Amino acid sequence: MKEHKIRKIGLFPLLCYTFFLSHFFFLFYGRNIILISQNDTILSCLVGMIFNLLLFSLLLKIRKKEITIPSKMKKGIALFLSILLLFLLIIILKDAVYFVKMHYLPEGHFFSLFLLFLILTLIISNRNISSVTSLAFLLFFLFVPLFLSSFIGSFPLFNLSYLKPLITTNFKTILEGALLFSFYTMTPLLLLLFVPYHTIVQKEKQNKYLYFALILSNLCTLLGYFMILFGTSFTYGATYEFPFMILVRKVSGFLNFNRFYYLFSPYLLFDCIIFLGGIVTTLKSQLLLLFPKRKR
């Protein structure tokens, strides 16, 4: 498959892109793991992290190999991927708009917000994947201090009585939660297959950076679950569609940031923005295979 010309991508932008892709699920779908694993959610996450390392090593091996696809199959595969990516794009946009309406603009019109998010995504992915990774690099330096402020600010709210003995459910439940955790964190990382191996600066070092990004992302997710556990309890958190937002509101109130809540928490959407940018960029590359530009 011919790769479209893109600029060289630095190791740190690639690291940040990988971090956001792997961390994406936590805000929107993190509750699903709590519903399955309940008080053993932390254990499920730890087992899921082991699965992730195994699956990620396989993903990196596939990414490094140059797979030759027969010309007759190229358009069929591109069509399938385009439909799949378009479906995924609509689902993520819908969930993002629903989240924004619920927490930031309850009186906003759904279609207007959907269109706004779509335009924002198209702007982000205007050029190629290098522009998305560059944005990920910039957002990462905003994400880290804001996430740490949430983590440190949640300390006074921690209640150790919420901590329960390990394995209060059963092995099957823990395994199901671990598999779901792995599915959620690994699925967005499939977009890395569309970032050509040879376009990375110091390409021989990139796997180390990618492993580090995955581990860092998983640890941030694990910290997020710890914050939910000690700040609200999994039992109470699971009753809310976005459990982490309960904690964010509590921290904002405790730090007297209630009036600045809208400025304090939008960093949580950085994952979604980068994932959407990656989806659209990949979708455009597949559409170019289906409808190649005519040479003038």
Side-chain angles (χ1 to χ4, degrees):
M1 188 180 291
K2 266 190 175 181
E3 302 290 352
H4 301 287
K5 291 182 180 179
I6 67 174
R7 292 183 300 169
K8 287 282 185 178
I9 298 172
L11 289 173
F12 280 105
L14 181 65
L15 182 154
C16 298
Y17 179 63
T18 305
F19 172 86
F20 284 124
L21 290 181
S22 183
H23 191 258
F24 158 76
F25 88 96
F26 176 67
L27 181 64
F28 291 168
Y29 312 117
R31 175 181 181 238
N32 295 337
I33 296 175
I34 299 176
L35 289 174
I36 291 175
S37 301
Q38 302 170 41
N39 289 320
D40 287 325
T41 295
I42 298 297
L43 192 55
S44 288
C45 291
L46 290 171
V47 176
M49 288 171 68
I50 297 172
F51 290 160
N52 283 349
L53 289 174
L54 297 173
L55 292 171
F56 198 58
S57 64
L58 179 62
L59 177 67
L60 294 183
K61 287 179 181 178
I62 295 173
R63 184 169 171 270
K64 191 174 182 179
K65 290 184 178 179
E66 293 185 4
I67 301 174
T68 304
I69 301 174
S71 55
K72 293 181 179 179
M73 297 177 60
K74 284 183 181 179
K75 287 199 172 182
I77 294 173
L79 177 61
F80 171 76
L81 289 174
S82 297
I83 294 172
L84 185 63
L85 289 167
L86 185 60
F87 175 75
L88 186 60
L89 175 66
I90 293 171
I91 294 296
I92 302 303
L93 281 172
K94 175 183 69 66
D95 291 342
V97 170
Y98 175 69
F99 176 84
V100 169
K101 268 185 64 67
M102 186 178 218
H103 295 283
Y104 302 109
L105 298 169
E107 296 183 8
H109 191 273
F110 186 90
F111 179 75
S112 299
L113 290 173
F114 187 93
L115 189 61
L116 183 63
F117 259 93
L118 181 59
I119 293 172
L120 175 63
T121 303
L122 291 173
I123 292 172
I124 292 169
S125 58
N126 184 39
R127 296 182 181 178
N128 47 49
I129 193 62
S130 63
S131 63
V132 180
T133 57
S134 296
L135 178 62
F137 181 68
L138 294 174
L139 293 182
F140 183 77
F141 286 98
L142 293 174
F143 178 92
V144 171
L146 290 171
F147 179 81
L148 287 177
S149 65
S150 293
F151 181 64
I152 296 170
S154 66
F155 283 175
L157 305 174
F158 279 8
N159 187 341
L160 295 179
S161 66
Y162 294 145
L163 185 62
K164 304 294 182 183
L166 291 177
I167 315 181
T168 57
T169 53
N170 54 65
F171 178 76
K172 181 183 176 184
T173 300
I174 294 170
L175 182 60
E176 287 176 353
L179 290 173
L180 185 61
F181 176 88
S182 188
F183 173 78
Y184 277 148
T185 52
M186 288 302 300
T187 300
L189 290 175
L190 292 176
L191 291 181
L192 289 175
L193 294 174
F194 300 93
V195 181
Y197 183 86
H198 63 272
T199 60
I200 310 301
V201 176
Q202 295 180 306
K203 61 182 180 182
E204 65 281 355
K205 294 183 179 180
Q206 62 182 291
N207 282 3
K208 293 180 181 179
Y209 280 74
L210 291 173
Y211 272 118
F212 179 76
L214 175 70
I215 294 170
L216 182 62
S217 173
N218 284 185
L219 287 177
C220 282
T221 302
L222 192 63
L223 282 178
Y225 276 117
F226 268 115
M227 291 163 70
I228 294 172
L229 168 61
F230 291 116
T232 65
S233 82
F234 284 140
T235 302
Y236 178 64
T239 63
Y240 194 66
E241 191 163 2
F242 305 103
F244 193 70
M245 294 306 295
I246 303 175
L247 187 72
V248 170
R249 287 184 182 276
K250 281 188 174 184
V251 173
S252 298
F254 179 79
L255 298 177
N256 295 319
F257 286 160
N258 280 330
R259 294 182 180 180
F260 302 100
Y261 171 73
Y262 297 103
L263 300 175
F264 183 71
S265 59
Y267 78 93
L268 298 168
L269 289 169
F270 289 175
D271 303 325
C272 178
I273 291 170
I274 295 303
F275 188 31
L276 286 171
I279 290 173
V280 172
T281 303
T282 307
L283 176 60
K284 285 163 61 178
S285 69
Q286 298 307 305
L287 290 175
L288 282 174
L289 290 173
L290 286 173
F291 309 103
K293 292 181 179 179
R294 293 181 181 179
K295 294 182 180 179
R296 293 182 179 180

